[in-house]
């Protein structure tokens, strides 16, 4: 998938070798998310692959007429074919789904829950609403909390991704941080708990 998107023209460049260390540590990891193209883990590799694409096409042009030069002319079309073939199960395929453009019925509950969190306070949460909170809160992802004892715990039990704390935020807060939390919001799969004094 990494070089297919370039029509394999990136293989012509030595720059493509720079992806090997990152691929190596990904495949020796026990985290299975690193082994696929489902998440964002290929993002650091893509600039390298596209630099290799540009370099590969330039090398083919400099070498003059050859089978690869002829192929390089068609590389963008091969890359487009790869993207279209794989796009049906990548998020790109969601653009063709009419439900993508429907209003989310849970949005009002999400905004209400986030509105209850005091600006500037610390929040531990899953990936459901983490980006929405980052601008005016100290936000911690549940997978990398460290020794922080947050002011709030926010759970998206339906779309939070990796969420071992679902569905009860207050119980999770007490168990994980050793201090009591009280539930202040619980609707549509969103549970917000505030640390009690």
């Amino acid at each position: 998938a990494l070089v297919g998107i370039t029509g394999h023209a990136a293989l012509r460049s030595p720059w493509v070798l720079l992806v090997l260390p990152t691929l190596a540590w990904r495949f020796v990891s026990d985290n299975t998310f690193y082994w696929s193209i489902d998440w964002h883990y290929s993002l650091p590799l893509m600039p390298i692959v596209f630099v290799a694409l540009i370099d590969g096409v330039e090398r083919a042009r400099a070498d003059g007429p050859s089978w690869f030069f002829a192929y390089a002319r068609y590389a963008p079309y091969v890359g487009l074919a790869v993207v279209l073939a794989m796009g049906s199960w990548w998020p790109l395929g969601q653009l063709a789904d009419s439900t993508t453009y429907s209003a989310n019925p849970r949005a009002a509950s999400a905004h209400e829950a986030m509105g209850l969190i005091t600006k500037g306070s610390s929040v531990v949460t899953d990936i459901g609403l983490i980006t929405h909170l980052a601008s005016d809160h100290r936000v911690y992802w549940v997978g990398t909390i460290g020794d922080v004892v947050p002011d709030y715990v926010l759970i998206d039990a339906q779309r939070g991704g990796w969420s071992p704390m679902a569905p009860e935020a207050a119980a999770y807060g007490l168990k994980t941080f050793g201090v009591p939390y009280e539930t202040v919001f619980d609707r549509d799969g969103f549970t917000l708990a505030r640390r009690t004094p």
Side-chain angles (χ1 to χ4, degrees):
L2 287 174
V3 294
I5 201 165
T6 69
H8 300 97
L11 293 175
R12 176 85 172 161
S13 171
W15 286 103
V16 79
L17 296 174
L18 293 175
V19 303
L20 294 179
T22 301
L23 287 177
W25 71 254
R26 282 176 53 175
F27 285 113
V28 298
S29 171
D30 61 353
N31 183 345
T32 57
F33 292 119
Y34 291 162
W35 303 345
S36 71
I37 55 176
D38 294 337
W39 293 86
H40 60 279
Y41 301 111
S42 293
L43 184 62
L45 302 175
M46 295 317 297
I48 298 167
V49 169
F50 283 109
V51 166
L53 163 67
I54 294 166
D55 185 53
V57 170
E58 286 302 313
R59 285 173 184 272
R61 286 188 182 146
D63 290 346
S66 70
W67 69 270
F68 190 83
F69 183 70
Y71 174 76
R73 271 189 248 163
Y74 299 103
Y77 303 108
V78 173
L80 180 61
V82 169
V83 167
L84 291 176
M86 298 181 89
S88 61
W89 67 82
W90 281 353
L92 184 64
Q94 294 175 0
L95 294 175
D97 184 2
S98 63
T99 60
T100 300
Y101 307 101
S102 302
N104 188 327
R106 299 175 63 227
S109 295
H111 287 290
E112 188 175 344
M114 290 186 296
L116 295 172
I117 302 172
T118 308
K119 290 187 184 215
S121 60
S122 58
V123 184
V124 66
T125 188
D126 49 28
I127 62 172
L129 297 174
I130 196 167
T131 56
H132 300 282
L133 294 165
S135 64
D136 53 1
H137 301 88
R138 286 171 293 149
V139 182
Y140 301 91
W141 178 58
V142 65
T144 55
I145 300 167
D147 58 358
V148 172
V149 178
D151 301 317
Y152 293 90
V153 175
L154 177 61
I155 298 168
D156 181 356
Q158 293 181 23
R159 303 285 305 212
W162 181 77
S163 187
M165 55 186 181
E168 180 47 53
Y172 172 81
L174 178 61
K175 178 181 175 188
T176 305
F177 307 111
V179 295
Y181 285 81
E182 63 177 331
T183 300
V184 293
F185 185 87
D186 188 1
R187 187 169 58 239
D188 291 333
F190 298 106
T191 306
L192 176 66
R194 180 179 54 224
R195 188 175 65 195
T196 56

